[in-house]
Amino acid sequence: MKLIIVGGDGFCGWPTSLHLSNLGHEVIIVDDFSRRRIDKELNVQSLTPIFELSERIEAWFELTGNVIRYVEMDISTKFDDLLNLLEEEKPDSIVHFGEQRAAPYSMKCTSTKNYTISNNICGTHNILNAIVESQRDIHLVHLGTMGVYGYGHEEPIPIPEGYLDVKIDTIDGREITDSIVYPANPGSIYHMTKTMDSQMFQYYAKNDKLRITDLHQGIVWGTQTELSSQDERLINRFDYDGDYGTVLNRFLMQATVGFPLTVHGTGGQTRAFIHISDTCKCIEQALIHPPTSGDRPLILNQMAETQTLSDLAKLVQSLTNCEISYLPNPRSEAERNDLNVRNDLLRSFGWEPTLIKDSLLQEITEITRHYSDRADHSKIPCVSYWTKNNEPADVSHR
Ligand code: NAD
Ligand code: USQ
């Protein structure tokens, strides 16, 4: 296949580009390097030393002879350039990673809220609009989030893959049923953009018969894949700062540098997790199992397992002897929740996930210990609050 990977310079996009190129697909990365710019704006850097995209691509060519091309483009503002690219390159599929993806950054201040909305919503809409305008049958694979569902209930009711079969009414003794999109319940401006993306997908699949797959992905952990660990120039990014670092990678880094693990609240929150190497494998599966034109968007829950944060912290403690801090929660989120997620479709394609308990130690020895001298401890605390007065939020309504 010929593939355009939007956001292919990012944490999930880079190893996925390598994976797909290694499988023999022709890969063109489109990225505006906003993620690298935001690092500068926040005065932080990846724990791992990441190379420029041009150097990464050159190293990949030296090692494998495979060519990955790239185009610098902001898809949220450059509609004509995007359309020209689709018309010139005629890709079979687009994989869309190119959004502002940190919930804390999206909640930081008015300008980061506005940026997240305009970047994510206009970017996704430009891709859909450009596919229609190109008059090509391009399959769009989008990286969505488990957060669109609102992380389940107090009872362990299974979260289906995107759609819910409901009884609407009984008329003259006849049950009226329908299959509806699972009610959206976002917990941040960032997560809200993903629920808005999903509305656009419903519309474009219905009106323009676009083939769209939306992957509702859990929190990605880990750094390297087999391919990215072949040469230091291919190394993937590792975010640990209070805005972009995600919880499990943060815990691993904190344990290594002797910073007590920063559990928000009681740690009773349950979240879904997936290893970065499985992100790549699931996207491969999504690309070879597209929906048919005229179908509603295909929604797959891309996650391997669920864990409470306190269990994760204790697991990391058992491996490293680190301290754990239970901090006032800067976010507005339920103190505890159950999360029971169906992922039958990806499993039915034969995917066998990597589990946290089997790979944590390797991550600590190969990444967090190896690069610990690059850590800036002052960037670890979460300083983005969900309420305007920077007080821990009242979560009684969640
Ligand atoms: P990332 O920030 O590391 O990568 C995103 C890439 O997209 C960056 O290289 C950035 O420069 C680029 N980009 C952003 N806006 C763009 C635009 N307008 N035009 C062109 N390029 C643009 O994020 P990531 O962790 O790789 O996440 C990728 C996708 O996966 C996101 O959509 C995110 O919501 C989703 N996701 C991530 C996780 C996770 O834990 N990292 C979990 C679930 C879903
Ligand atoms: N948390 C802590 N301590 C920390 C950091 C986070 O307890 O130091 C808690 C948060 O309060 C939250 C949970 O851990 O309850 C997850 O936070 P996170 O920052 O790891 O993940 P989140 O903000 O949900 O976002 C990440 C990605 C996002 C993706 C999402 C998938 O940044 O792009 O969509 O995970 S999901 O969580 O399934 O919605």
Side-chain angles (χ1 to χ4, degrees):
M1 283 185 235
K2 192 182 225 188
L3 305 171
I4 288 185
I5 314 285
V6 181
D9 186 46
F11 170 60
C12 298
W14 173 241
T16 302
S17 299
L18 295 182
H19 181 76
L20 296 170
S21 169
N22 191 52
L23 290 170
H25 299 299
E26 185 175 345
V27 170
I28 303 165
I29 289 175
V30 172
D31 205 296
D32 67 348
F33 303 119
S34 50
R35 182 67 197 87
R36 291 177 187 256
R37 273 198 301 278
I38 292 173
D39 267 352
K40 292 203 179 90
E41 167 194 319
L42 298 173
N43 200 16
V44 297
Q45 59 175 4
S46 160
L47 189 69
T48 49
I50 50 171
F51 285 71
E52 294 300 323
L53 182 57
S54 55
E55 296 170 298
R56 288 173 149 186
I57 284 174
E58 208 178 298
W60 179 242
F61 177 69
E62 273 174 31
L63 279 166
T64 64
N66 292 341
V67 176
I68 295 180
R69 286 183 288 147
Y70 82 93
V71 179
E72 180 173 354
M73 185 194 297
D74 175 353
I75 56 145
S76 72
T77 55
K78 300 287 178 200
F79 176 79
D80 291 342
D81 294 350
L82 181 60
L83 177 57
N84 285 341
L85 185 73
L86 300 195
E87 287 176 341
E88 273 166 28
E89 296 292 350
K90 304 179 177 45
D92 298 293
S93 302
I94 298 174
V95 185
H96 177 21
F97 296 99
E99 298 187 73
Q100 192 300 100
R101 70 106 177 121
Y105 185 78
S106 79
M107 301 300 289
K108 224 173 170 54
C109 60
T110 50
S111 67
T112 61
K113 286 181 183 178
N114 285 342
Y115 168 69
T116 304
I117 293 284
S118 60
N119 187 62
N120 294 4
I121 302 303
C122 295
T124 298
H125 188 258
N126 278 346
I127 292 179
L128 293 163
N129 197 2
I131 294 176
V132 173
E133 205 54 30
S134 74
Q135 299 186 13
R136 301 197 62 82
D137 182 24
I138 300 169
H139 174 208
L140 174 63
V141 175
H142 170 255
L143 273 292
T145 171
M146 285 299 304
V148 297
Y149 299 121
Y151 311 116
H153 306 269
E154 285 186 17
E155 300 298 323
I157 305 165
I159 293 187
E161 301 203 83
Y163 300 95
L164 198 58
D165 294 328
V166 291
K167 180 181 142 199
I168 299 174
D169 206 345
T170 306
I171 298 177
D172 299 333
R174 194 166 53 95
E175 276 194 357
I176 311 295
T177 58
D178 201 353
S179 177
I180 60 166
V181 180
Y182 193 94
N185 184 10
S188 71
I189 295 285
Y190 154 72
H191 286 99
M192 188 175 75
T193 62
K194 295 291 188 181
T195 70
M196 295 160 87
D197 283 345
S198 117
Q199 281 300 312
M200 291 192 270
F201 298 148
Q202 294 294 329
Y203 175 77
Y204 274 92
K206 181 182 72 172
N207 196 64
D208 299 284
K209 312 279 178 280
L210 294 198
R211 295 183 299 139
I212 301 168
T213 302
D214 198 6
L215 301 170
H216 289 185
Q217 186 170 236
I219 300 169
V220 183
W221 72 278
T223 315
Q224 295 280 61
T225 61
E226 222 175 288
L227 297 175
S228 68
S229 46
Q230 291 181 100
D231 185 307
E232 198 167 29
R233 289 171 297 169
L234 301 179
I235 199 166
N236 198 14
R237 61 180 305 128
F238 183 112
D239 297 310
Y240 66 89
D241 62 279
D243 283 316
Y244 276 87
T246 52
V247 65
L248 180 51
N249 278 5
R250 272 168 65 77
F251 284 177
L252 296 176
M253 175 273 177
Q254 292 166 356
T256 305
V257 302
F259 197 100
L261 306 193
T262 54
V263 177
H264 294 166
T266 61
Q269 306 95 313
T270 310
R271 292 292 182 271
F273 292 87
I274 182 168
H275 190 266
I276 183 70
S277 56
D278 284 334
T279 293
C280 305
K281 290 178 194 160
C282 289
I283 289 166
E284 173 195 345
Q285 291 305 318
L287 285 166
I288 57 183
H289 296 99
T292 304
S293 178
D295 285 356
R296 65 188 184 180
L298 176 62
I299 299 177
L300 308 176
N301 289 338
Q302 186 162 303
M303 63 105 225
E305 60 192 308
T306 60
Q307 295 272 358
T308 65
L309 305 184
S310 57
D311 283 350
L312 274 184
K314 286 177 197 151
L315 177 63
V316 174
Q317 186 177 49
S318 71
L319 295 172
T320 60
N321 234 349
C322 63
E323 282 178 44
I324 301 177
S325 298
Y326 291 88
L327 304 170
N329 196 339
R331 304 188 184 199
S332 170
E333 60 186 3
E335 274 186 33
R336 59 184 62 251
N337 65 286
D338 246 302
L339 190 57
N340 178 356
V341 182
R342 308 293 302 259
N343 64 354
D344 311 53
L345 277 166
L346 280 167
R347 294 296 194 127
S348 74
F349 301 150
W351 167 54
E352 290 289 342
T354 304
L355 297 179
I356 292 172
K357 66 177 173 40
D358 299 331
S359 311
L360 268 194
L361 208 51
Q362 186 184 357
E363 186 66 22
I364 294 170
T365 49
E366 290 177 9
I367 299 295
T368 56
R369 281 194 192 139
H370 195 74
Y371 296 105
S372 59
D373 59 341
R374 287 173 52 87
D376 178 348
H377 296 208
S378 72
K379 299 297 177 189
I380 295 176
C382 284
V383 290
S384 177
Y385 293 85
W386 261 232
T387 56
K388 266 181 102 175
N389 56 6
N390 292 1
E391 294 288 336
D394 170 11
V395 293
S396 52
H397 64 287
R398 304 301 302 272

